[in-house]
Amino acid sequence: QSVLTQPPSTSGTPGQSITISCSGSKSNVGKNPVNWYQQHTGAAPKLLIFNYGQRPSGVPERFSGSKSDTSASLAIDGLQSEDGAHYYCAAWDDSVSGYVFGTGTEVSVL
Amino acid sequence: DVRLEESGGKSEQPGRSLRLSCEASGFIFSSYSMNWVRQAPGKGLEWISYISSGGETTYYGDSLEGRFVVSRDNTKKSLYLQISRLRADDTAVYYCTRDVLLPSGRVFDTWGQGTLVTVSS
C-alpha cells in the first residue's frame, strides 16, 4: 500500500517541461531523501534521481529533483519521446521501518 | 558489469510455497544490503523486504502477514525469498535490488529483470 501520492498521469509534447509531484509525510519525504525511478513498459525500474536531486551516471541533465517540506518533485526539462514511461518516487519511512513507493505517474509524450 | 538475475518464478496453486532466488555478479555481494520489490500486473511497485549485508538484520513490509522470509548466502552470492501460503494477490513480478547506503540515505541502484509468480488454482 503506497503512502506517497503521485498524480496518475501527465503528458507533454517534445521539448516541453513537465513536473511530477510526490506527496508524503514527516516520517518519509519530510525526513529522508527521496529517490525517483523510471520504468518503461515491460522493463525493470531504473534509478533516475537519488538524494532528492542527484543523477546517476548516464542520466540526462534534463531530469532534476527537488523537495519542499513533505513533498518532492521530479522535473523533465525538454521532454523527449524516450521519456514516455512510468515514474515512481520512493523514500525510507521511519514510522514503519520500511521503504515506501509512490503510486506512480505515467508520462505520455504526445 | 553489476548484474542481478532472479529465478524461481512459476505458476503455483494457492496455499503452496515458493522460493525465489537472485544471483549477483560484478560486485562484492557480501558488502551490500539487498531488497525484494514486487509489482502486481498493471500496478505500482511494492517494497517487500530488506536484508543487511551479513544477513543479521531483516525488515518486511507491513502487509505481508509473516508469510515472507528473506535470506542470503554470501558464499553463493545469492539472495532468496521464501513465500508461504501463497495467495492470488501474491501474483506479481518480483525484483531483487541492490541497496546502497549513502551518507544521505539508502537507494536501490541496481535492479534485476524480475521473475514472474502467478498464483492460481
Side-chain angles (χ1 to χ4, degrees):
Chain A
Q1 186 173 355
S2 300
V3 298
L4 304 183
T5 303
Q6 300 179 233
S9 64
T10 188
S11 63
T13 56
Q16 275 190 327
S17 296
I18 64 168
T19 300
I20 301 169
S21 62
C22 171
S23 178
S25 65
K26 289 181 179 179
S27 62
N28 42 64
V29 176
K31 187 174 181 181
N32 297 303
V34 173
N35 305 316
W36 289 89
Y37 299 90
Q38 177 191 58
Q39 185 180 32
H40 287 102
T41 301
K46 165 193 162 185
L47 177 63
L48 191 69
I49 294 284
F50 65 98
N51 190 24
Y52 300 112
Q54 292 184 264
R55 290 183 303 275
S57 174
V59 173
E61 291 183 1
R62 64 180 182 274
F63 293 97
S64 63
S66 62
K67 175 228 172 182
S68 176
D69 196 16
T70 57
S71 291
S73 295
L74 172 71
I76 308 177
D77 187 14
L79 200 60
Q80 298 192 7
S81 58
E82 60 263 35
D83 299 336
H86 282 84
Y87 294 81
Y88 297 91
C89 60
W92 186 261
D93 191 317
D94 288 353
S95 69
V96 298
S97 293
Y99 202 68
V100 291
F101 285 97
T103 48
T105 299
E106 181 178 16
V107 171
S108 300
V109 183
L110 304 174
Chain B
D1 281 1
V2 173
R3 285 197 65 193
L4 298 171
E5 185 170 357
E6 302 91 339
S7 61
K10 61 186 286 188
S11 182
E12 189 56 275
Q13 294 181 336
R16 303 289 294 268
S17 296
L18 196 61
R19 188 174 89 151
L20 306 181
S21 300
C22 170
E23 186 172 346
S25 60
F27 65 100
I28 302 173
F29 182 69
S30 59
S31 295
Y32 289 85
S33 299
M34 300 291 292
N35 293 267
W36 286 98
V37 175
R38 70 179 178 182
Q39 185 172 37
K43 301 297 184 182
L45 301 171
E46 179 186 11
W47 173 77
I48 297 296
S49 67
Y50 160 95
I51 185 168
S52 59
S53 58
E56 61 278 348
T57 301
T58 58
Y59 297 115
Y60 296 91
D62 273 351
S63 62
L64 303 180
E65 302 176 9
R67 298 184 298 112
F68 291 68
V69 177
V70 61
S71 62
R72 65 190 296 163
D73 185 338
N74 286 344
T75 65
K76 295 182 178 179
K77 300 181 182 180
S78 292
L79 174 72
Y80 306 103
L81 184 68
Q82 180 80 26
I83 311 172
S84 59
R85 304 190 302 280
L86 281 163
R87 307 186 324 203
D89 61 359
D90 293 325
T91 295
V93 174
Y94 286 74
Y95 297 100
C96 64
T97 78
R98 189 176 77 165
D99 187 306
V100 176
L101 184 59
L102 303 173
S104 54
R106 62 177 11 97
V107 58
F108 300 171
D109 74 332
T110 303
W111 296 61
Q113 86 289 346
T115 188
L116 176 63
V117 172
T118 303
V119 183
S120 173
S121 54

